[in-house]
Amino acid sequence: MATLPVYPWRLAPDGLATRRQLREAGLRPGGQEVVAQVERPRRRRDPLTAYLYRVDRAKPVRPMTPAKTAALDRANTARRTCPACRNDAGYVIPVSLAMCVPCAYPNADQHV
């Protein structure tokens, strides 16, 4: 296996981009292999690593289909619906509570 070239943070050559940078440009890797990586040093921990892809081989992002849009809407609605009271909470239900705040703390408004 060949070793990938490693560049310091913010010093990658032109023509290479991370997944996020590709996405901002309306592109995706499109099945190509990683060609390099950038590393950002951190104190007392391993460096952060981002993989780089060639921009000239990237493909356009696929458009959202009506079925994908509907599935995403259903998933987001499910994340906002409290399983205890079945109401739309108006926010994403925290995983730590597993229900909306009024259901998790029913006597919170009765404090002194």
Side-chain angles (χ1 to χ4, degrees):
M1 180 176 177
T3 306
L4 294 175
V6 179
Y7 298 102
W9 196 251
R10 298 181 189 261
L11 295 177
D14 291 336
L16 299 181
T18 64
R19 280 182 180 270
R20 283 189 180 187
Q21 291 168 336
L22 289 175
R23 187 63 181 206
E24 287 175 6
L27 301 170
R28 61 186 169 96
Q32 66 174 298
E33 297 292 322
V34 174
V35 295
Q37 64 185 29
V38 290
E39 287 188 348
R40 178 179 171 206
R42 298 190 297 178
R43 295 179 188 208
R44 298 184 203 95
R45 292 191 284 178
D46 291 336
L48 290 175
T49 301
Y51 296 113
L52 299 171
Y53 301 90
R54 289 183 48 171
V55 175
D56 60 344
R57 290 188 184 170
K59 296 180 180 177
V61 174
R62 293 183 186 115
M64 285 286 281
T65 64
K68 283 185 180 180
T69 303
L72 189 58
D73 289 341
R74 285 192 306 271
N76 285 328
T77 300
R79 292 178 67 199
R80 295 168 53 109
T81 303
C82 176
C85 64
R86 306 301 300 165
N87 291 327
D88 184 346
Y91 52 87
V92 175
I93 305 292
V95 176
S96 60
L97 295 179
M99 59 183 69
C100 65
V101 173
C103 289
Y105 305 106
N107 297 326
D109 58 348
Q110 298 175 5
H111 68 285
V112 178

